[in-house]
Amino acid sequence: MSSLLDQIIQFVSAHVWLAYATVFAAAALEAVPVFGAFVPGSTLIIALSALVAAGELRLAEVIAAAVAGAALGDGASYLAGHIYQRKILGIWPLASYPAVIARSEAFFARRGALAVLLARFVPPVRAFVPVIAGAFGMPPARFFSVNIPAIALWACAHILPAALAGSLWKQYGREVEHIALPLLVIGLLLWVAIWLLRRRKHLAAE
């Protein structure tokens, strides 16, 4: 485990720009309707954020990359909906996911502007609410006044705990590695199981 972690840290230290670019791209792609449901963006961001403790990545720059990527993804989706209105919901690939569109529409209809905030933390709705907000005519000023703070909260909620965990591992990891490694494996298996169950439920709803 330590050798693998050391190799990852060495790779990141040699390709710092690639780490920031990955955080940016992961946040941006996760916000793209339909495609975002298949991109493990949050997982990549959390994994890279844990390496802040190694000293090769700067916390503020990781947060900035995540915020910028998510803002680009959400903003592009919203503007597409704003320009094409409800017609965009009938265009591929959105038209291929009527159940998710219906859930996202209902979520937006119930919550209004609050849906833009809450959707940031609810996959796969997160990737659909911005385009629906645009399609339903939410004014740009209102959308971005809620969306940008929501993105900042989302980024901090993902990155700060991961960075803290990385700091704790750096300080105590080698002492508790015989305990931490099995827990890590169990946690990874649980995450995969939950992800597969969600995907199965998502596909069954189509």
Side-chain angles (χ1 to χ4, degrees), residues 98-121:
V100 180
I101 291 292
R103 291 202 301 271
S104 301
E105 286 184 359
F107 186 65
F108 181 75
R110 287 197 309 270
R111 305 291 184 178
L114 185 60
V116 178
L117 172 64
L118 297 177
R120 264 276 116 204
F121 301 89

Side-chain angles (χ1 to χ4, degrees), residues 40 42 49 51 67 80 102 107 112 115 124 147 156 166 188-189:
S42 296
S49 299
L51 299 179
V67 169
F107 186 65
N147 179 247
C156 289
L188 179 62
L189 291 174

Side-chain angles (χ1 to χ4, degrees), residues 124-203:
V125 174
R126 171 171 57 227
F128 289 85
V129 165
V131 70
I132 288 174
F136 275 53
M138 176 179 279
R142 189 178 185 192
F143 173 80
F144 288 108
S145 68
V146 178
N147 179 247
I148 298 303
I151 287 173
L153 288 173
W154 167 83
C156 289
H158 282 69
I159 294 168
L160 294 180
L164 176 60
S167 297
L168 293 175
W169 178 267
K170 182 179 180 181
Q171 187 171 0
Y172 303 109
R174 297 187 186 279
E175 288 80 0
V176 299
E177 185 172 341
H178 61 289
I179 300 174
L181 183 57
L183 290 177
L184 180 62
V185 172
I186 292 172
L188 179 62
L189 291 174
L190 285 174
W191 180 87
V192 171
I194 292 171
W195 186 85
L196 289 173
L197 287 173
R198 285 181 175 177
R199 292 303 310 148
R200 182 178 179 184
K201 182 179 179 181
H202 171 71
L203 294 173

